[in-house]
Amino acid sequence: MDNIAVYADPKSPVAEAYRSIRTSIQFANIDQTIKTIVITSAKSGEGKTTVAANIAASLSLLGSKVAAIDCDFRKPSVHKMFGISNKKGITDLLLSHAENEYEGYIRKIPGSDIDIITAGQIPSNPAEILSSKSMKGLLGVLRRDYDYVVIDTPPVGIVTDASIISTYTDGTILVCSSGYVEVDMARKAKRTLENVNARILGIVLNNFIGEHNKDNYYYYE
Ligand SMILES: Nc1ncnc2c1ncn2[C@@H]1O[C@H](COP(=O)(O)OP(=O)(O)OP(=O)(O)O)[C@@H](O)[C@H]1O
Ligand SMILES: [Mg+2]
């Protein structure tokens, strides 16, 4: 869990930045229910999974009941971030029509209260799975049972998956790795999300090019 600064180094500026993201989410929650939160970015490797894990951790440390689920069926990595197996995950759950018995698919890790559901076996049709009634049903039961569901997804500038899931979730956070993603591509990703009426909660600038990497998180509504 070394990449989860909120756990590994709670006093660090990075952990502090995640606490301010958490506060923004809580404020966004006043007017409208923000329970299911998609994390995406324009390109791959911008820090989506890292940001998803840290946001989930900071929400759960404040006492909220949090699920972190891996909907990046193309390059699943939530399990790697938490150091757990990806043997039984969302795709397996959906194949078994187990939306209402999802508890059997939850993994816990020592030192964390987050309930994790990994991606499961890599499917041939990720976009179809994300559009399916079963997937929406799963989100429905998770929304009933949790305060927050943090959802890791593939890059919205490359494949359609994050746009699809953003149509039936409450909010989307766009991670931008400054110095890595081209401004045009980041803008286009934002437009893509707006075009499906995603509610963009904010943009997390994840600037970790080179060694000046530790305290460069910003968040704005
Ligand atoms: N702020 C940061 N400082 C240093 N390293 C970081 C930071 N954010 C992410 N990384 C590292 O960058 C790499 C990519 O991060 P991550 O896997 O979170 O990105 P991703 O957007 O989920 O990638 P993918 O598109 O492949 O799913 C990882 O090795 C991660 O540890
Ligand atoms: Mg990832």
Side-chain angles (χ1 to χ4, degrees), residues 3 14 18 40-41 43-52 72 75-77 81 152-155 175 206-210 213-217:
N3 285 332
V14 176
Y18 280 115
T40 193
S41 63
K43 291 166 71 161
S44 67
E46 294 199 66
K48 294 178 290 299
T49 306
T50 308
V51 168
D72 186 343
K75 203 167 153 198
S77 54
M81 188 73 57
D152 193 21
T153 65
V175 178
N206 187 14
N207 178 357
F208 62 97
I209 305 293
N213 60 6
K214 286 289 175 192
D215 54 0
N216 292 305
Y217 286 82

Side-chain angles (χ1 to χ4, degrees), residues 99-201:
E99 295 91 276
N100 288 308
E101 293 104 48
Y102 69 84
E103 286 91 346
Y105 292 80
I106 283 181
R107 284 176 197 280
K108 302 253 189 195
I109 41 161
S112 161
D113 288 330
I114 304 173
D115 284 357
I116 301 159
I117 313 183
T118 65
Q121 56 182 290
I122 292 182
S124 56
N125 55 347
E128 263 172 59
I129 290 181
L130 290 167
S131 325
S132 69
K133 267 196 190 140
S134 310
M135 186 65 215
K136 290 176 191 163
L138 175 64
L139 258 296
V141 284
L142 294 176
R143 143 197 293 291
R144 179 194 65 200
D145 294 348
Y146 288 88
D147 297 317
Y148 294 102
V149 184
V150 179
I151 306 161
D152 193 21
T153 65
V156 67
I158 298 177
V159 289
T160 186
D161 306 23
S163 292
I164 293 170
I165 198 162
S166 289
T167 63
Y168 58 93
T169 43
D170 301 327
T172 300
I173 289 175
L174 187 63
V175 178
C176 291
S177 178
S178 58
Y180 170 60
V181 66
E182 299 75 10
V183 173
D184 275 358
M185 193 150 178
R187 278 207 188 108
K188 201 171 151 223
K190 185 164 172 279
R191 270 203 306 276
T192 303
L193 291 166
E194 285 164 349
N195 286 342
V196 296
N197 293 321
R199 171 154 190 218
I200 299 175
L201 296 175

Side-chain angles (χ1 to χ4, degrees), residues 62-93:
L62 211 65
S64 296
K65 192 169 183 222
V66 180
I69 70 170
D70 195 347
C71 287
D72 186 343
F73 299 139
R74 298 173 193 263
K75 203 167 153 198
S77 54
V78 169
H79 61 287
K80 292 181 194 152
M81 188 73 57
F82 286 100
I84 54 180
S85 150
N86 182 29
K87 237 188 161 175
K88 256 175 90 186
I90 294 177
T91 53
D92 310 290
L93 181 162

